[in-house]
Amino acid sequence: MTPKRHARRALTGLVVVILAGIALNFVGVWTAPGSTFAVKAQSLLPKLGLDLEGGTQIILHATQNSGADATNAQLQQSVSIIRQRAAAGGSPDAQISTASGGNIVVSLPGTPSQATINSVRQAARMDFRAVLLTDAAPTSSAGKGGAPYTPPASLANTPSASPTNGSDLAQVTPYLQNLYDNYNCAADNQPSKADPSKPLVTCSTDGSVKYLLGPVEVPGTDISGAQAGLQTTTQGATTGEWVVNLSFNSKGTTEFAAISERLVALTGVRNQFAILLDGKVIEAPTMNAAITNGKATISGNFTDASAKALADQLKFGALPVNFAVQSQNTISATLGSSQLIAGLIAGLIGLILVFVYAVFQYRALASVVLASLGTSAVLTLIVLDFLSWREGYRLSLAGVTGIIVSIGITADSFIVYFERIRDELREGRSLEGAVEQGWRRARRTILASDAVNLLAASVLFILAVGDVQGFALTLGLSTLIDVLVVTLFTHPVLQLLARRPFFADGHAFSGLDPRALGAVYRGRGQFREPVLAGRAVRASGEAQRRQTIAERKAAELGDDRKGRD
């Protein structure tokens, strides 16, 4: 493939990538449900973080099941889990800290939905229990609230015979039967505080069905992984229903296999296995076959957002204590739009300085630098916009800083490439040959440099939290975009410019004038000293200062030979 054809194909591919990214963002934003026209139009730009837009502050009060205050170790563990949940929800810059009185202060950007608040405060403790009895909750109790029902103390609450397994109806004592018959699903029954070793009366998450369940047989701690996805049939087709796919560790796999084999042999409601989240049943499927591979699927009228939220909760583990929302207030931006404008001005100043240096050093090639930086900015905006509407990412001032720093990384790639081309011109190559050979030499250096930057950004993203993580993310993304731009834009553009007379003939303002570089090609790898006068003398001095050690030794050897001749 000729360089000209390669350049056109690369540029065409880049244009397709940009247009596809813009179209993807436009379709993704405008097909999002439940948003007004104004909200959708605003979503075409990346959302701003807590420090630039403000948000919501939630104060959570922690208590143990026994009613005692949470310990400091439990609070610190909760902070770590909540921070992971917030980051998975697109808020890596969320500010989470402990406060006096067993409280945790959570500051989230924007106006979080109730689902987001629940994902932060819910313990997300998942358990698996066998179903003993189930029935529709009385419609009269569905909305009356009030205090939880308490059976008469005279009723026996000790099984007449020792239960043989979690499905044994011997567990249903007169006390439990009375509680089940009169259970009020609308009351604050606090099922999440129930003893896992005893039977439980509870309801479904919507309060429409009540259950009497056996003890916990598979705890949520035996879940090794959780992932949201679309339900698939045995033929591999998707049903369009969002589910959460679970995988168990070796202990959970063994326990789940044994329980499923037992339930398959039972009939009626005792063939069901309830899946509970914080003490409420989210699903109670029938067991049609033994499950021995350690994998299970949870369905239950999930949306893509709720399925992902539940998967994140299970993936990062349950909170060690229960939390209640003590207060929820709107907070103003910690820095504000003025700081964002200042950051953008700083980036513009840096861009101008890079361009001025490029004009001074590389003359007309500065236009390539400016066009490449513009292309990089467009791609960065497309990626950040995609992360914003798809993953809920918010751009903080630290993220803006990462983008500004990346301007220097991108400019460094141009300098390496241009200098390699100049080196090839000094060796006597034509401009087209210098562009191709210079790219081969510069590509290794650029990839090595960007790989180091990407590695540093990755380590920083993994080890850091909050604003520093946002800085690492934008820095890493900008580094990847730099490789893409240099490969698909800068090099192809130079391949095309090398065929233009202005550059190919070495115009004085092209930045690629062989005379200004200190050598004039005569053929067969031979050079003659140029006639130096005025500015050419200064250009020759500059070329000598830029020579490598090997080039200086070769020049000295040539002078010695001339002296002997």
Side-chain angles (χ1 to χ4, degrees):
M1 185 185 302
T2 63
K4 181 179 180 181
R5 186 176 180 184
H6 174 272
R8 289 180 174 177
R9 179 172 296 185
L11 292 173
T12 302
L14 181 61
V15 171
V16 170
V17 169
I18 293 176
L19 293 179
I22 294 174
L24 177 63
N25 288 336
F26 186 84
V27 172
V29 168
W30 287 94
T31 57
S35 298
T36 63
F37 177 84
V39 172
K40 289 181 178 180
Q42 189 176 7
S43 298
L44 291 174
L45 294 175
K47 299 176 184 177
L48 299 181
L50 183 66
D51 54 350
L52 299 175
E53 186 184 41
T56 302
Q57 184 183 80
I58 306 169
I59 298 180
L60 305 174
H61 181 68
T63 57
Q64 301 188 55
N65 291 341
S66 61
D69 290 337
T71 65
N72 184 64
Q74 289 173 327
L75 290 177
Q76 293 298 334
Q77 182 183 357
S78 298
V79 167
S80 176
I81 294 174
I82 292 174
R83 181 174 287 119
Q84 292 180 78
R85 292 180 181 179
S91 300
D93 59 334
Q95 298 177 5
I96 305 166
S97 60
T98 59
S100 59
N103 294 332
I104 290 180
V105 180
V106 181
S107 299
L108 299 172
T111 304
S113 63
Q114 187 60 42
T116 302
I117 296 175
N118 290 339
S119 70
V120 169
R121 62 174 288 269
Q122 284 181 340
R125 188 174 294 107
M126 178 163 284
D127 298 315
F128 298 83
R129 296 174 181 252
V131 176
L132 302 178
L133 299 173
T134 183
D135 198 0
T139 55
S140 59
S141 69
K144 70 182 182 182
Y149 175 76
T150 303
S154 59
L155 295 177
N157 195 22
T158 303
S160 57
S162 297
T164 57
N165 54 57
S167 301
D168 195 338
L169 292 177
Q171 302 171 92
V172 184
T173 63
Y175 182 92
L176 284 175
Q177 184 68 56
N178 183 270
L179 176 61
Y180 172 76
D181 293 338
N182 298 277
Y183 197 74
N184 179 12
C185 288
D188 185 15
N189 297 290
Q190 297 185 338
S192 61
K193 298 182 179 181
D195 188 343
S197 63
K198 296 180 180 180
L200 171 67
V201 179
T202 187
C203 299
S204 58
T205 53
D206 60 0
S208 62
V209 182
K210 62 181 180 179
Y211 295 88
L212 176 54
L213 310 173
V216 173
E217 299 195 63
V218 180
T221 53
D222 289 340
I223 297 175
S224 61
Q227 185 175 9
L230 292 172
Q231 178 76 38
T232 58
T233 64
T234 54
Q235 288 76 28
T238 60
T239 63
E241 179 185 9
W242 281 92
V243 297
V244 177
N245 300 308
L246 302 178
S247 56
F248 295 95
N249 57 22
S250 57
K251 178 175 175 289
T253 299
T254 303
E255 293 172 341
F256 200 77
I259 296 166
S260 62
E261 290 173 354
R262 184 188 77 218
L263 294 180
V264 167
L266 300 177
T267 58
V269 298
R270 296 171 64 203
N271 179 251
Q272 295 178 254
F273 200 50
I275 304 172
L276 296 88
L277 181 66
D278 290 336
K280 291 189 176 182
V281 177
I282 59 176
E283 187 185 14
T286 58
M287 193 66 68
N288 299 320
I291 300 176
T292 60
N293 61 355
K295 298 184 181 300
T297 299
I298 305 174
S299 60
N301 298 320
F302 290 121
T303 63
D304 57 343
S306 61
K308 184 179 183 299
L310 178 57
D312 289 337
Q313 288 174 327
L314 299 177
K315 181 165 52 180
F316 298 128
L319 295 174
V321 290
N322 299 306
F323 286 95
V325 177
Q326 197 171 65
S327 66
Q328 180 176 337
N329 302 301
T330 300
I331 57 176
S332 59
T334 57
L335 295 175
S337 58
S338 61
Q339 296 296 324
L340 175 61
I341 295 174
L344 295 178
I345 292 175
L348 181 60
I349 293 174
L351 186 62
I352 293 174
L353 291 176
V354 169
F355 181 68
V356 170
Y357 170 80
V359 171
F360 176 77
Q361 185 71 15
Y362 299 109
R363 306 298 189 270
L365 287 180
S367 60
V368 180
V369 174
L370 189 61
S372 298
L373 288 173
T375 304
S376 179
V378 171
L379 288 172
T380 301
L381 181 61
I382 290 174
V383 173
L384 292 180
D385 189 27
F386 174 79
L387 293 177
S388 183
W389 69 261
R390 183 65 180 86
E391 300 296 333
Y393 170 77
R394 289 179 175 270
L395 181 64
S396 65
L397 189 61
V400 175
T401 304
I403 296 175
I404 295 174
V405 172
S406 68
I407 295 177
I409 296 175
T410 306
D412 181 61
S413 299
F414 302 149
I415 292 173
V416 170
Y417 185 22
F418 294 164
E419 289 300 325
R420 291 294 183 269
I421 294 176
R422 286 183 163 187
D423 288 342
E424 295 301 323
L425 288 174
R426 291 189 186 100
E427 294 178 5
R429 294 183 184 274
S430 65
L431 182 56
E432 289 189 54
V435 167
E436 297 304 318
Q437 185 61 26
W439 170 245
R440 294 189 187 96
R441 295 175 58 189
R443 181 173 52 191
R444 294 191 296 267
T445 305
I446 293 172
L447 291 178
S449 175
D450 284 344
V452 172
N453 291 326
L454 182 61
L455 178 62
S458 301
V459 172
L460 196 61
F461 182 83
I462 295 171
L463 298 181
V465 295
D467 290 342
V468 179
Q469 199 172 46
F471 169 81
L473 177 62
T474 54
L475 182 62
L477 288 176
S478 300
T479 302
L480 292 175
I481 291 173
D482 172 53
V483 176
L484 185 67
V485 170
V486 172
T487 304
L488 296 183
F489 183 81
T490 309
H491 175 53
V493 166
L494 282 175
Q495 285 180 309
L496 296 178
L497 292 180
R499 304 172 64 88
R500 300 293 179 182
F502 179 81
F503 289 94
D505 295 342
H507 190 280
F509 195 69
S510 67
L512 298 173
D513 181 9
R515 297 171 181 82
L517 297 177
V520 179
Y521 187 56
R522 292 180 58 188
R524 291 189 172 183
Q526 299 178 2
F527 297 82
R528 65 176 174 82
E529 295 295 331
V531 179
L532 303 179
R535 295 177 60 184
V537 176
R538 294 192 297 271
S540 177
E542 177 187 354
Q544 291 176 3
R545 288 193 299 273
R546 289 178 175 273
Q547 284 182 331
T548 64
I549 295 177
E551 290 171 338
R552 291 176 182 174
K553 289 184 176 179
E556 293 173 357
L557 181 60
D559 292 340
D560 292 342
R561 288 177 177 174
K562 289 179 180 179
R564 288 196 298 270
D565 293 339

